[in-house]
Amino acid sequence: MQIRIRWKLILSIGLPLWGLSMAVLSVDYQLLRKAAYEHTESDLAELAEQHAAHIDANFQSAAQIARTTANILTVDDSLTEPQLFNLLKINLKHNPHVYGSCIAYEPGVFAPRRQRFAPYVCRQGDGFKAIDLSQAYDYADGNWQWYREPHADETAWWTDPYFDEGAGDIAMVTLSAPFFRSDRFAGVATVDIQLDTLQTQLAMKEIEHGEWMIVNGEGAFVSAPTPELILSETLYTIAERAGRTAELNPLADRITSGERGTGRIVSMRTGEPLLIVFTPIPSTGWAFVVGVPESVIMGPVYARLQQRTAILTGAIALMLLLVFIVSYWITRPVEKLSSAVQRLGEGDLTANVPDIRSRDELGQLARAFNHMVEQLKQHIDALTQATRAREAVESELRVAREIQTSLLPTTFPPFPHRPEFDLHATNAAARSVAGDFFDFFFVNENRLALVIADVSGKGIPAALLMAVTRTLIRNLAASIECPGRILTEANRLLAEDNRRSMFVTLFLGFYDVRTGAITYANAGHPLPFKISTDRAVTEVGEPTGLVLAVMDNETYSEATMQLDAGESIVLFTDGVHEAATPGGELYGLERLQQHLQRHADLDPERLCQATVEELNVYQKDRSQDDITLLVLRRNQ
């Protein structure tokens, strides 16, 4: 289907306008969203402070009743039982937020012959109910926090939420204030706050669709929009049950620590983002928390964006209509180009527009077309040559990889006549050729040389340095019996002509097949892991010198590690633990250690395969570095 130029003009103008409009709307959205959140956070913080202060005042007022009663009882020990019940009724009449009030005497204090006495008055319908709480349960047996804590600390105490079975028979919190006789603890005066009615008594009518709650210092719900949460859940148990402890526990810590602040979470009930504002209630050590859904915050923003979108859409539509009318007249002469364009579309690279005389835009367009055809021919010729050159390079790289692979041991198991150990190694190049390499060979009948190395950089330069290093190690090992001396001499030779400042990390160990001892020298290479018979995986060894080819006067010491029967040693290059996800998260030594522990029972060959497979999955088959592994297990 042929697309006329007028439509191209319309699209070339309309699409940028649409893109610019979307960019403007996007920026506008971000600014409006930021402003909406800041405004809401400010308003919520102010409202939360006001309501927290209101709640705090109510609780202080209730607490003052208990403290005043305790002071009266401390000063006056002559109050009779009817007077005590009357005092409690007066306490409830003076504060509508108080559900019940109690005076609990220490056993034997009210009357020598009376073991316990605790007059209690609570609301019942439009009146009051009066009972002796000691007849309902033994409040002094240590199981009731409202009596136990002030008795122990001799200070006023707000309890955790609890169900007062046998007395008030409701969920409540209690403020207990101790009173004294001759400076000795004589009992407590209490006030109870009913949790079921707290939510409606202190409703935040200013916040549409918002929810609020009160939690104590342990994260337990004192008040909540869902009554089932009270007495049964805390902020921490909800986070644990939802499997979101990493996200929610830090926020819960901030709330319960008495901090003022804000946070953003995803609602577990609706799945919608929530803005959370919290502030402490000083007198109780609790916190007031309010949450508002993002949809409420963003409602005005979306309405304003819709209005602006409608205005921009109308403006763009009007502009495109004008462009369409003008382009109709402008594009009529372009039909002269139709023949040449059609020939070019059929593959005729000699097509052009002859006899160009016009100096206006149409003339420029015709010249540009002729120039484009010429450039197209040149580009096709250049692309053909580049393709041939690339195919030649790829062919050479394939040959280089084959040559490099032939330098590494390829026969496994390598020493089937030696039952004392099992050995396997693998090398996976990040590019066509690798900078990593491994090697193993017997230097005498009972000493097996183990080599694993990583050349800095990748590609052909690293592969060449790898080949040189491997050859040096093999040649030096034929005449030198000490790994440290071999690396010292290899370093001197490599550093002499190292003009590109490349370097090599290398581990060279001589394994004694009779004793299991490994005498090694480590030139800045990652430390190996040892897999014990009890499946423990530990990092072993230590660096004995700097990387090779940097300082020609560097000397390398030696160290020894022991491999017992059934144990394995895993040598690897940094391409293993530095494997990364597409997002850049490294695999790491800890994951490698855990992987080896899970597969500790595998033989060396299957362990290498399992490790490479795991790394490929972790990297999504997008390896950025060479991966090389060498695993040796002592059998006897």
Side-chain angles (χ1 to χ4, degrees):
M1 179 180 178
Q2 185 179 10
I3 301 178
R4 296 184 177 274
I5 292 179
R6 70 174 63 96
W7 291 111
K8 292 182 180 180
L9 289 173
I10 293 171
L11 291 176
S12 66
I13 295 173
L15 289 179
L17 283 176
W18 179 83
L20 181 60
S21 300
M22 292 302 101
V24 170
L25 289 175
S26 177
V27 172
D28 205 15
Y29 168 78
Q30 297 297 330
L31 294 176
L32 291 173
R33 186 177 189 274
K34 180 180 178 182
Y37 263 96
E38 290 177 350
H39 179 72
T40 303
E41 285 184 5
S42 175
D43 287 351
L44 276 183
E46 184 177 350
L47 283 173
E49 288 288 345
Q50 292 175 0
H51 282 268
H54 177 62
I55 294 169
D56 191 49
N58 288 337
F59 276 86
Q60 285 188 25
S61 175
Q64 188 58 43
I65 293 175
R67 291 189 176 95
T68 301
T69 303
N71 290 335
I72 293 173
L73 296 172
T74 298
V75 174
D76 186 358
D77 60 355
S78 63
L79 294 179
T80 64
E81 183 173 333
Q83 289 175 327
L84 291 174
F85 275 105
N86 186 56
L87 176 61
L88 295 176
K89 289 181 180 179
I90 293 173
N91 288 347
L92 267 63
K93 290 179 180 179
H94 287 174
N95 194 319
H97 296 297
V98 175
Y99 172 78
S101 183
C102 175
I103 299 171
Y105 283 90
E106 180 75 354
V109 170
F110 181 74
R113 295 182 180 180
R114 198 162 187 172
Q115 180 65 15
R116 295 183 305 276
F117 178 54
Y120 178 67
V121 176
C122 65
R123 300 183 187 276
Q124 188 175 54
D126 295 331
F128 300 100
K129 179 178 75 172
I131 63 171
D132 180 359
L133 197 64
S134 65
Q135 303 301 314
Y137 55 79
D138 183 1
Y139 57 83
D141 63 1
N143 293 323
W144 296 90
Q145 188 185 27
W146 62 266
Y147 192 84
R148 182 184 67 246
E149 298 297 344
H151 184 246
D153 295 345
E154 295 188 353
T155 59
W157 188 276
W158 279 104
T159 69
D160 294 333
Y162 70 100
F163 189 84
D164 189 31
E165 184 176 2
D169 290 322
I170 61 167
M172 64 174 64
V173 291
T174 299
L175 185 282
S176 300
F179 61 89
F180 303 89
R181 295 280 190 273
S182 300
D183 295 330
R184 297 184 60 184
F185 178 81
V188 298
T190 73
V191 290
D192 301 329
I193 304 297
Q194 183 177 358
L195 300 185
D196 291 344
T197 60
L198 187 60
Q199 197 78 15
T200 55
Q201 290 174 357
L202 304 173
M204 295 183 70
K205 298 179 181 179
E206 303 93 331
I207 303 176
E208 185 180 1
H209 306 298
E211 296 179 349
W212 67 270
M213 64 192 69
I214 300 174
V215 296
N216 68 2
E218 303 299 324
F221 291 94
V222 177
S223 179
T226 305
E228 292 78 9
L229 297 176
I230 302 173
L231 300 183
S232 62
E233 297 282 3
T234 70
L235 296 176
Y236 298 100
T237 59
I238 290 176
E240 183 176 0
R241 186 157 44 81
R244 295 169 59 184
T245 56
E247 172 193 358
L248 299 180
N249 280 3
L251 181 60
D253 290 340
R254 294 175 60 198
I255 293 173
T256 57
S257 67
E259 179 183 341
R260 287 178 173 83
T262 62
R264 297 182 187 180
I265 64 171
V266 176
S267 172
M268 287 178 285
R269 192 156 52 91
T270 65
E272 183 179 2
L274 294 176
L275 172 64
I276 302 296
V277 177
F278 49 90
T279 189
I281 302 175
S283 64
T284 61
W286 301 342
F288 181 82
V289 184
V290 60
V292 176
E294 185 181 72
S295 59
V296 175
I297 302 172
M298 295 300 293
V301 174
Y302 295 143
R304 188 170 181 180
L305 284 176
Q306 288 176 354
Q307 181 183 28
R308 295 188 179 185
T309 300
I311 294 173
L312 285 173
T313 301
I316 292 174
L318 179 60
M319 185 174 294
L320 291 180
L321 177 61
L322 295 175
V323 170
F324 177 81
I325 295 173
V326 173
S327 65
Y328 177 80
W329 298 101
I330 293 177
T331 58
R332 290 177 63 187
V334 179
E335 294 177 359
K336 296 180 180 179
L337 297 173
S338 176
S339 177
V341 172
Q342 185 175 1
R343 288 170 54 199
L344 179 63
E346 293 172 353
D348 184 2
L349 297 180
T350 64
N352 59 20
V353 181
D355 300 328
I356 302 174
R357 297 187 178 88
S358 176
R359 296 295 178 183
D360 58 12
E361 290 81 357
L362 291 178
Q364 294 176 5
L365 179 61
R367 294 184 185 89
F369 174 80
N370 291 343
H371 180 69
M372 179 192 69
V373 173
E374 185 64 27
Q375 292 294 317
L376 182 61
K377 290 193 295 183
Q378 295 177 9
H379 177 71
I380 291 176
D381 292 341
L383 183 61
T384 301
Q385 295 176 5
T387 301
R388 291 172 182 170
R390 185 174 62 254
E391 291 175 350
V393 171
E394 290 175 352
S395 175
E396 292 175 358
L397 288 175
R398 285 194 296 271
V399 173
R401 180 57 180 165
E402 292 173 0
I403 294 173
Q404 185 183 41
T405 303
S406 68
L407 296 175
L408 304 180
T410 56
T411 301
F412 294 99
F415 309 107
H417 60 287
R418 301 302 297 260
E420 300 98 323
F421 63 89
D422 286 336
L423 175 65
H424 193 83
T426 185
N427 169 259
R431 297 186 181 178
S432 299
V433 289
D436 290 4
F437 75 91
F438 65 84
D439 202 1
F440 47 81
F441 52 88
F442 275 98
V443 296
N444 58 42
E445 183 179 355
N446 294 311
R447 299 187 76 191
L448 176 67
L450 304 173
V451 183
I452 190 167
D454 184 359
V455 178
S456 64
K458 299 176 181 67
I460 294 297
L464 292 175
L465 185 55
M466 163 261 180
V468 172
T469 304
R470 173 193 176 276
T471 303
L472 277 176
I473 297 299
R474 278 206 170 230
N475 291 343
L476 292 171
S479 57
I480 302 175
E481 298 181 355
C482 301
R485 290 176 54 201
I486 292 174
L487 293 194
T488 300
E489 183 62 19
N491 175 70
R492 183 185 65 81
L493 295 172
L494 289 172
E496 284 181 353
D497 297 318
N498 187 12
R499 298 177 181 176
R500 295 179 60 90
S501 298
M502 299 178 70
F503 61 87
V504 183
T505 68
L506 186 142
F507 178 96
L508 171 62
F510 284 179
Y511 170 64
D512 192 320
V513 298
R514 298 166 301 178
T515 65
I518 301 176
T519 302
Y520 68 90
N522 186 334
H525 198 75
L527 300 181
F529 281 112
K530 182 170 78 171
I531 305 176
S532 303
T533 54
D534 60 355
R535 301 176 66 92
V537 178
T538 56
E539 195 175 60
V540 293
E542 59 183 351
T544 62
L546 298 175
V547 295
L548 299 177
V550 175
M551 299 178 64
D552 58 3
N553 60 350
E554 177 73 8
T555 58
Y556 294 83
S557 59
E558 297 175 357
T560 302
M561 64 180 71
Q562 180 64 35
L563 204 61
D564 295 330
E567 294 185 331
S568 301
I569 185 170
V570 180
L571 304 174
F572 55 91
T573 60
D574 60 8
V576 175
H577 61 275
E578 291 181 0
T581 63
E585 182 180 357
L586 296 181
Y587 185 71
L589 291 173
E590 184 177 351
R591 280 195 182 93
L592 176 59
Q593 187 175 16
Q594 293 171 355
H595 167 78
L596 296 176
Q597 191 171 25
R598 290 195 304 270
H599 300 85
D601 295 334
L602 297 181
D603 58 51
E605 180 178 2
R606 289 191 296 164
L607 181 58
C608 288
Q609 292 173 351
T611 303
V612 172
E613 289 173 0
E614 169 146 328
L615 292 175
N616 287 336
V617 171
Y618 187 79
Q619 299 180 106
K620 310 292 187 195
D621 293 321
R622 297 177 181 177
S623 178
Q624 299 297 316
D625 200 357
D626 305 331
I627 297 175
T628 304
L629 285 162
L630 188 151
V631 182
L632 171 73
R633 183 173 69 186
R634 183 184 179 190
N635 295 329
Q636 60 186 30

